[in-house]
Structures are given as structure tokens and as C-alpha cells.
Amino acid sequence: MPSVAGKVAVVTGAGSGIGRAVAQALAAAGWDVVLAGRRAEALAETARLLGPRGSDGPAVIRVPTDVTRPAEVDALFAAVRDRFGRLDLLFNNAGTFGRSAPIDELSYDDWQSVVDVNLTGAFLCAQAAFRTMKAQDPQGGRIINNGSLSAHVPRPDSIAYTATKHAMTGLTKSLSLDGRPYRIACGQLDIGNAATAMTGRMATGIRQADGRTAAEPVMAAADVARTVVHMAALPLEANVQFATVLATNMPYIGRG
């Protein structure tokens, strides 16, 4: 593996859950980490958990950002360029489940709020990262999109979330193709049942495809983070295009 000393990563949705776990793992591996998320206090807590940064150690900075707002996304990546002069990795992670409801009961606002974060927000961050990576010298970098098992198979009453995660796969493929001339690699990590605040209902019971409600196994978010660190550390001549990390016994293979 090449050295990551001096390499810079942006993690969106860094205030909790998988984003926080990935930020911790990247900092521990020696990356400079830019924490992005809507809640400044949550970013501060993530920074605290990363521990003190010595003068010779990797840097950690916080940039409160709403990924649905183009001006705030532009400001995030401008802050990265101003502080570090380049960007080597975007973990495009910010997302929301939204409201679980049958399609005929889902309001337009419910639909749009999920699309705004999961798809438009992911696009805006990828676009800004792409521009930075294309313009910098040496050119190139890596984007890792947080997909989901719902990029492959849905859960009941999850049409907005499922549609946006299928769209994430198209975003990943287009970024991979369009990034080739500029040494910009893009991969997608599809995650199943990482134990976070967003997935707390998995342990208590969640609706299954056959109508039952059942608890599902979960895995530690740190297991996801280790996979991201591995993908991120590859040379740009190699890429994990798609990877799936899931709780071993969750109902994915054979779901439905």
C-alpha cells in the first residue's frame, strides 16, 4: 500500500454513525480528515473522539455543511483547497432513510427530502470533488460512494430510499467512466445493517418482505470503516468498483 501521509479525505455525514466511524479509521491510518455535516456540535464530538492531533500528526478540521445546498458544498471544498491545497478522497456518505410509508401515502415533500440528500447531495459533493481532483497537480483522487443493500433489493415501504440508492449506482458508474482521463477513481460500498442510530430498529424488529416484523443481526460500524480505509489506500491504478459489507446472518441473500 502507498503511504497516506499528507493525503486529504473529506467525509460527509461525519457527525454520527458510519461517517463518524470512517473518519476515526481514516485519521488512525494517517489521513488528514475534513469532517462535514449539518450539525456543528456533532462534528465537534466526532473531532473529540478522533483524539488530539499532534503537530506532526494528521490534521482534522470541521466544516458544517448541508449537502443539499450548492453554495455550502462549494464552500466546503473551497475550505479544503485553502487549508490543504488538494483533495485525495471523498467518502460520499451523507444520507437519510426518510419516512417509511406505502407509495400511495408518501407525500411529495417526503419524497423530495430523501432525493435532495441521498441523490442531489451526493451529486453536488461528487461534482465539487471531481472539479478539485481534475484541477490539482498531481491530478486525480478517489470518490467512494455509500450505497446500500437497497441499491440491489428494497425493503417494504421504502420507495424513496430505494430509488435514490439505485440512482447512486448510476452515479458511481458515470463517475468511474468520466474520471478515467483524470486519474479519478470511483467505487461504491453497499452496506447492510451496520449498528448506528439510524439502524436501531433492526435490533428491535423491522418489517420483512412477507409482512412479519423481525429483529435482524447487525455488525459494528468499525467493520465498514476498515473496508473504506482499504479501498482508499489503493493506488489510483486499482479500484474496488463495488463492494458489499453486511451482517453475516441478515436476510439479504434470499430476501423476500
Side-chain angles (χ1 to χ4, degrees), residues 48-109:
R48 187 190 69 78
L49 291 171
L50 266 56
R53 303 286 106 187
S55 58
D56 296 327
V60 175
I61 67 169
R62 294 168 276 151
V63 184
T65 306
D66 182 340
V67 300
T68 70
R69 298 182 178 274
E72 294 192 23
V73 173
D74 288 344
L76 165 63
F77 288 88
V80 173
R81 292 189 295 271
D82 290 345
R83 174 66 173 80
F84 298 105
R86 65 175 294 106
L87 173 65
D88 299 284
L89 172 68
L90 166 65
F91 182 47
N92 209 4
N93 167 70
T96 181
F97 284 138
R99 187 170 78 90
S100 178
I103 183 173
D104 55 322
E105 297 178 12
L106 194 73
S107 72
Y108 174 81
D109 288 342

Side-chain angles (χ1 to χ4, degrees), residues 5 33 39 65 83 127 146 152 194 207 209 226 245 250:
V33 181
R39 296 173 296 138
T65 306
R83 174 66 173 80
Q127 181 186 55
N146 184 347
H152 304 271
R207 187 179 171 199
R226 280 192 287 270
V245 181
M250 69 169 291

